[in-house]
Amino acid sequence: MAPMYYRGATAAIIVFDVTKERSWEKIDTWHKDLLQYAEPGVAIGIAGNKIDLPPAAGFNYEACQFSCAQLGASFHLTSAVTGHGVNELFLTVAKRAVTTSSAHQPRGSLVDTKVSRLHPSACC
């Protein structure tokens, strides 16, 4: 994927297919790319998708969980078909992103919440 999609990211989800062993083998490459272009401390979730189908013969849940922990990523089993694990995945990554983002934000910096009067708008 092009680096422009990673640039400035504070959260990311890497998805692999549990029914294909080769899919897991690409996790390290995706992870390295993320670390190179995303913000420092990017919150990463790794999702083993298609758990509604039989897993590949070589799929090892414990090994995936261990590898994700080594990479500093949360590990989730999901199914896009049934929705299993999807909410948990997004909530976990979002919470980590907010925590990490808060830790990297300089103390005393505030977000400007004033509405600009220079460009009034009838809509949002």
Side-chain angles (χ1 to χ4, degrees):
M1 188 175 263
M4 67 182 179
Y5 292 111
Y6 303 131
R7 194 165 288 121
T10 57
I13 296 172
I14 301 171
V15 182
F16 73 97
D17 183 344
V18 299
T19 68
K20 297 179 180 158
E21 286 183 55
R22 296 202 63 190
S23 182
W24 171 255
E25 294 168 5
K26 298 177 183 177
I27 295 295
D28 283 332
T29 301
W30 287 98
H31 185 260
K32 286 176 189 171
D33 286 350
L34 270 171
L35 294 181
Q36 183 177 355
Y37 296 105
E39 290 295 312
V42 59
I44 302 172
I46 297 178
N49 194 38
K50 296 189 180 180
I51 62 159
D52 52 293
L53 299 174
F59 177 73
N60 183 325
Y61 173 80
E62 290 80 16
C64 291
Q65 197 169 27
F66 178 79
S67 294
C68 289
Q70 295 291 2
L71 296 173
S74 58
F75 177 61
H76 306 267
L77 294 176
T78 62
S79 169
V81 172
T82 66
H84 176 85
V86 175
N87 285 341
E88 178 187 303
L89 166 65
F90 278 89
L91 286 172
T92 300
V93 173
K95 286 177 184 176
R96 289 182 68 201
V98 168
T99 303
T100 304
S101 165
S102 297
H104 285 97
Q105 187 173 15
R107 291 206 180 272
S109 66
L110 300 173
V111 175
D112 184 8
T113 57
K114 296 178 186 175
V115 177
S116 174
R117 296 181 193 262
L118 296 176
H119 302 286
S121 170
C123 180
C124 1

